[in-house]
Amino acid sequence: MDTSIAIPSSSHAADSIRLQVGGMTCASCVARVEKALAKVPGVASAAVNLATEVATVQAAATVPVAALAAAIEKAGYSATPLAAQAPSPALAPRTGWLPDWWPVAVSSVLTLPLVAPMLLQLLGIAWMLPGWAQLALATPVQFWLGARFYRAGWKAVRAGSGNMDLLVALGTSAAYGLSAYLLLQHAEHDGMTPHLYFEASAAVITLVLLGKWLEGRAKRQTTDAIRALNALRPTTARVRRRGRDGEATVDIEIPVERVAPGDLVVVRPGDRIPVDGAVVEGRSHVDESLITGESLPVAKAPGAGVTGGSVNAEGLLLVETLAVGAETTLARIIRMVESAQAAKAPIQRVVDRVSAVFVPVVLGIALVTFGAWLALAGDAERALINAVAVLVIACPCALGLATPTAIMAGTGVAARRGILIKDALALELAHSIATVAFDKTGTLTDGKPALVATLPADGIARDELLRLAAALQSTSQHPLARAVLDAARAERLALPPVRDAQALPGRGLEATVAGQSLLLGSGRLLHELGLAAEGTLADEAARLEQQGRTLAWLIRRDDNAPRLLGLLAFGDTIKAWSQPAIARLRQLGVQTVMLTGDNRGAAQVVADALGIAEVHAGVLPGDKAAVVQGLRTGGRIVAMVGDGINDAPSLAAADVGIAMGSGADVAMETAGITLMRGDPRLVADAIDVSRRTYAKIKQGLFWAFAYNVLGIPLAALGMLSPVIAGAAMAFSSVSVVTNALLLRRWRGAADMRTTA
């Protein structure tokens, strides 16, 4: 079976501009960059993803990229344009000679002697570094390793807003400044070193650096799917060209970007296929698991389609190139996944509104805390330390990361299982799907005729009936003929010789098979010959016709007196995984409906076999959208699953359109979710992964809000030291990202291969 995949080429809009944004640290930064981009004339919309550090701008063609970059830089950040099909470099591993953890390591070494007295005190050991030694250790941590917070915080102030860096810079500077003041004022006073807070400022910076490093590592793991797909892109191809003499051929290796449509590419066993194309010569099996999620190798023969990035197994293949570079299925898949990961889910709007006022509110709370403690306790040191704790614990990082990291992890793991989610809106809506409407042909069924019944007349063996019919059909290219031959081949029947074959237009065909004159045709042919089915054969024929089956009658001319040998019934067979798919949807509490243009009998047979209660039969293509609209009454979220051109209107009418990847481009272009292989179980998997992703978003936002709702009051009441506050703040971001990463362990029902 040909499992080649088509992905719509227009999945990346021409007016979409992507820029890599440097220097963002929290949700406040995201809001500021989006606001700056929105002010540029000609910009329709701008969405910034904190996890990938990429801004996606929808703008008129006349808007220069330089103007967008200038707006970002004016807001205090760096901007680098990205090519339309280029992957984001933000999360790529460092290529410098120093590891990316060196600031954390150096800061930890300098901070450890400062916090050691706190740890030793728990063991009953009283020890403290001299004040000047503390100053010497804390200063490089504050102004060298912590310089990034000052730079980013100053840029935020210049832009008239605030961010996490500003809170950290203000809080640690206050603790460091207070300590330096006390040291200068009371150094060696009465022979005692005064209580200083250098350990608080240094520990907070160290913990924040550690948190950002762990967060960066976790964020890189959310993009594993994209990196795995990018790794599938071969860099070279072996192309067969004619030699100089014009006759002999030669195989040459060239960069894949120089391959053109029509070129013949040689794919050796074990090689990765460099282009999309069709097999011209050779037979083999191809591993398409990272592209379609299909765990088993797929057989390929001449005429079969192959997808660039898949791996050839045991045979040598000669492939005619159909698409290369940005037009290959793999490139389009990568763009689709990146587009979904860059998109902003509707739930993120709540976070945007909160982050817009978050930092100013926190600064206000810190000032109130300082004033209240100073007025009520009269202790300026205690008042300042509590205000510092408020500034440090109030980190909006977790708020900004909760939604994008969950979406990246969810869409990434879905893509690796053969489910392409076009945008965040489709992902968010899919978790609420209450009804799934299936097109029948090509979605729940194979979409091609198959022999479903072979009924011989009295005195004729079934195998003999099939053997003679298959021999007769071996002279035809009709789809029904292929179905008969496939059935005979499956039963390993030897076919007798055929001669003098001729078509009977509108009725069937006639030929001499093993010395017998045989005819195979429709009921019209049967009627013209004056024959009629009797008894059980007539009853079965009536039953099969009521089910919408196509009947063909085998007739033998005996001394010019025709004799009925039996009938063959054809129908569209149900896919092996359709019944488990419907059962899985029922387990998820989702209602299933079937829409089809077929007659009621044929539709009801399929529905009864699958356990679908609601059937809309005889529906014209233009009326399917109206049926879907009717299913949406009462606010129910409805998904439509289809694969043909005639399904495009109904896919658009549904809340979530789900297209089979083996279908038409227009269907996939209209759909919000594309299934990379024609396995209906992926519908339930798409809903399941959406529900789990949405749950992770809600969990991340809950914990992000909870840290601040609980932490800020505790800090203001003096119940948290700056060190504990810094640890909690760092842990909040890491825990939110790590929780989202648990999605990578998800496995769908379609991964559980069983014998159907």
Side-chain angles (χ1 to χ4, degrees), residues 464-613:
E464 179 66 9
L465 174 66
L466 179 58
R467 190 174 73 92
L468 293 175
L472 193 60
Q473 293 282 40
S474 65
T475 64
S476 172
Q477 296 297 318
H478 195 279
L480 297 183
R482 287 196 291 271
V484 176
L485 290 169
D486 287 343
R489 207 173 290 121
E491 298 188 20
R492 299 181 178 179
L493 298 178
L495 304 185
V498 182
R499 61 183 178 83
D500 301 331
Q502 61 175 326
L504 305 175
R507 292 167 294 168
L509 72 159
E510 182 177 7
T512 301
V513 180
Q516 305 177 76
S517 179
L518 298 179
L519 302 94
L520 183 67
S522 63
R524 178 182 174 184
L525 176 64
L526 191 71
H527 179 71
E528 287 179 356
L529 293 174
L531 294 175
E534 298 178 353
T536 303
L537 193 61
D539 294 339
E540 287 297 311
R543 181 182 64 82
L544 290 167
E545 282 187 322
Q546 194 173 24
Q547 293 177 357
R549 306 301 190 187
T550 299
L551 303 186
W553 304 88
L554 184 65
I555 304 162
R556 183 174 63 201
R557 294 184 190 271
D558 287 339
D559 298 327
N560 295 322
R563 179 190 175 192
L564 180 61
L565 300 182
L567 71 85
L568 308 177
F570 301 88
D572 191 2
T573 56
I574 298 173
K575 287 183 177 180
W577 298 113
S578 290
Q579 198 280 330
I582 301 301
R584 173 66 175 144
L585 287 169
R586 197 177 298 118
Q587 290 176 357
L588 293 175
V590 178
Q591 176 193 9
T592 54
V593 177
M594 189 171 73
L595 308 181
T596 179
D598 285 355
N599 63 65
R600 167 62 63 172
Q604 199 61 53
V605 169
V606 174
D608 291 343
L610 298 179
I612 298 176

Side-chain angles (χ1 to χ4, degrees), residues 22-301:
M24 294 191 300
T25 55
C26 64
S28 298
C29 299
V30 170
R32 188 159 69 254
V33 174
E34 289 179 344
K35 187 177 179 180
L37 288 169
K39 291 180 179 179
V40 178
V43 171
S45 66
V48 177
N49 189 313
L50 178 61
T52 58
E53 298 175 5
V54 170
T56 304
V57 184
Q58 302 296 328
T62 55
V63 176
V65 177
L68 300 175
I72 294 174
E73 290 166 1
K74 186 177 179 181
Y77 304 92
S78 63
T80 306
L82 291 175
Q85 66 267 20
S88 167
L91 303 178
R94 286 177 61 92
T95 56
W97 64 277
L98 284 175
D100 56 357
W101 47 259
W102 76 264
V104 179
V106 174
S107 186
S108 299
V109 169
L110 295 173
T111 302
L112 185 60
L114 296 173
V115 299
M118 296 172 57
L119 303 176
L120 293 174
Q121 193 173 12
L122 299 175
L123 302 176
I125 301 173
W127 174 79
M128 183 175 289
L129 281 173
W132 295 105
Q134 294 184 47
L135 176 67
L137 290 170
T139 299
V141 175
Q142 184 71 39
F143 299 108
W144 174 41
L145 299 168
R148 54 173 287 181
F149 302 113
Y150 287 101
R151 287 193 296 266
W154 173 240
K155 289 178 180 178
V157 171
R158 288 178 58 191
S161 62
N163 59 7
M164 180 210 77
D165 300 291
L166 180 62
L167 298 180
V168 172
L170 289 175
T172 57
S173 296
Y176 179 90
L178 175 63
S179 302
Y181 170 78
L182 293 174
L183 180 62
L184 293 173
Q185 288 293 104
H186 305 285
E188 306 302 327
H189 179 67
D190 295 332
M192 299 290 292
T193 299
H195 181 74
L196 305 174
Y197 301 96
F198 285 121
E199 85 284 350
S201 63
V204 165
I205 287 177
T206 300
L207 288 167
V208 174
L209 290 174
L210 175 63
K212 298 302 288 183
W213 177 66
L214 292 173
E215 175 190 309
R217 286 191 63 194
K219 286 196 295 183
R220 280 193 291 272
Q221 292 179 51
T222 65
T223 60
D224 277 352
I226 289 290
R227 280 202 300 277
L229 288 170
N230 273 308
L232 299 182
R233 289 172 159 168
T235 57
T236 61
R238 187 175 296 273
V239 178
R240 178 160 295 178
R241 297 273 170 83
R242 291 193 179 278
R244 292 182 179 178
D245 57 5
E247 296 295 333
T249 58
V250 60
D251 296 344
I252 58 172
E253 194 166 291
I254 62 174
V256 72
E257 56 267 20
R258 288 175 52 194
V259 180
D263 281 348
L264 295 178
V265 175
V266 179
V267 186
R268 297 173 298 185
D271 283 355
R272 198 171 289 283
I273 299 172
V275 297
D276 286 2
V279 177
V280 177
E281 291 180 13
R283 295 179 181 271
S284 184
H285 286 79
V286 172
D287 180 1
E288 299 176 340
S289 57
L290 274 177
I291 299 172
T292 67
E294 173 61 63
S295 59
L296 301 177
V298 180
K300 299 294 181 182

